[in-house]
Amino acid sequence: MTGTPNDPGVVPLAVRDCFRYIQKERSGVDNREYLLRVSYMEIYNEQIYDLLVPAPTRPSNSGPVVPPQSNIRIFESRTEGVVV
């Protein structure tokens, strides 16, 4: 998703593309203002995790920190497909 400096992933490429578009549009006669909002979510074991929420501080030997969970349930229905 995030890639490397020599081979950026989909997230850096998408953000870069957004800013290039804004820069190109702002160079015109129009003095438009832009607002860019970004979400970075992970769906794992039918739970949604917001990856932009900072992890709480912890001692280095306490193991991994699990991102905060949402209360939204995600499941696959035989008749409706993926349901959120």
Side-chain angles (χ1 to χ4, degrees), residues 16-26 34:
R16 186 182 319 160
D17 191 45
C18 288
F19 281 104
R20 280 187 182 154
Y21 175 82
I22 291 170
Q23 186 176 22
K24 184 179 98 176
E25 290 297 309
R26 290 196 66 146
Y34 291 86

Side-chain angles (χ1 to χ4, degrees), residues 1-14 16 40:
M1 293 291 275
T2 57
T4 65
N6 292 332
D7 188 20
V10 68
V11 173
L13 290 174
R16 186 182 319 160
Y40 192 34

Side-chain angles (χ1 to χ4, degrees), residues 29-47:
V29 263
D30 189 345
N31 193 16
R32 203 175 281 176
E33 186 173 309
Y34 291 86
L35 172 65
L36 179 65
R37 294 183 182 175
V38 178
S39 295
Y40 192 34
M41 312 300 267
E42 174 185 39
I43 301 173
Y44 179 73
N45 284 341
E46 300 179 355
Q47 293 291 320

Side-chain angles (χ1 to χ4, degrees), residues 28-79:
V29 263
D30 189 345
N31 193 16
R32 203 175 281 176
E33 186 173 309
Y34 291 86
L35 172 65
L36 179 65
R37 294 183 182 175
V38 178
S39 295
Y40 192 34
M41 312 300 267
E42 174 185 39
I43 301 173
Y44 179 73
N45 284 341
E46 300 179 355
Q47 293 291 320
I48 299 176
Y49 298 92
D50 184 346
L51 299 178
L52 295 179
V53 172
T57 56
R58 61 181 168 80
S60 61
N61 61 353
S62 65
V65 172
V66 177
Q69 294 186 32
S70 70
N71 291 329
I72 299 173
R73 238 184 114 228
I74 301 172
F75 59 95
E76 189 169 1
S77 164
R78 289 182 182 177
T79 58

